[in-house]
Amino acid sequence: MIAIPAIDLREGACVQLVGGSYDAERVRVNDPLDALKKWRALGFKTFHVVDLDAALGKGANPDAIARLLGHEPGLTFTVGGGVRDTAKIETVLATGASFVVVGTRAIEDTPWLSEMAHRFPGRIVVAADVKGREVVTRGWTAGSARDVADVLTALNPLDLGGLLVTAVHKEGQMGGVDLPLMQEVVRGTRHRVYASGGVTTLEDLRALADAGAYGAVIGMALYTGKLDAAAVAREFA
């Protein structure tokens, strides 16, 4: 399993939010490139970039994304946030992303997602943001009335780059992961699983690795120093 630092963009800065709430910003790095350089220096090679403003329709951060993706060749980036049409997928890939993360429209419009998976095979990662058991959309502000197990079944036939499963109820709280959820997801899908939400300790990462997760996205615990980034990089980068 690989550990993946999160670089969440808001108003041109790299931030960390508690529970995804814009009113609960806990960390801010004014230049996102500084965050990337810090994690690179420790040995991380894969990064998860999210345009929070685009996800919530509050603007966009294309310049920051371009600077991150153009900084150093050979790195792997998954990029998401407000990706809801074909043109945006093409733009993100052209900017240098290895994978494009699609959330809201992927969950709400399965025929479109099927078309995108066919057009960009192995390059689309579907974000299944889970609150309790319900998959939520629109920057975690809207319910889909769909159980995560049903969503997994619907996605299994598609040629995807993976599933990014975020336990929203754990996000940013540094209280540990929802291990039963992630175990169920790994059992219920043939796709790579990227786990997110609540990663706080090396034991969390080891448990996710044992569960069969392909990757774990880490945010708050790295940025606050709760989790020893150097130790994480040694074992999981």
Side-chain angles (χ1 to χ4, degrees), residues 176-196:
V177 299
D178 186 338
L179 190 59
L181 170 66
M182 298 307 171
Q183 291 169 330
E184 178 182 348
V185 169
V186 170
R187 288 195 303 267
T189 183
R190 67 180 185 87
H191 299 300
R192 289 177 172 176
V193 173
Y194 297 85
S196 177

Side-chain angles (χ1 to χ4, degrees), residues 11-14 28-34 67:
E11 300 161 346
C14 170
R28 176 172 285 246
V29 180
N30 287 327
D31 187 347
L33 204 54
D34 289 340
R67 288 179 67 227

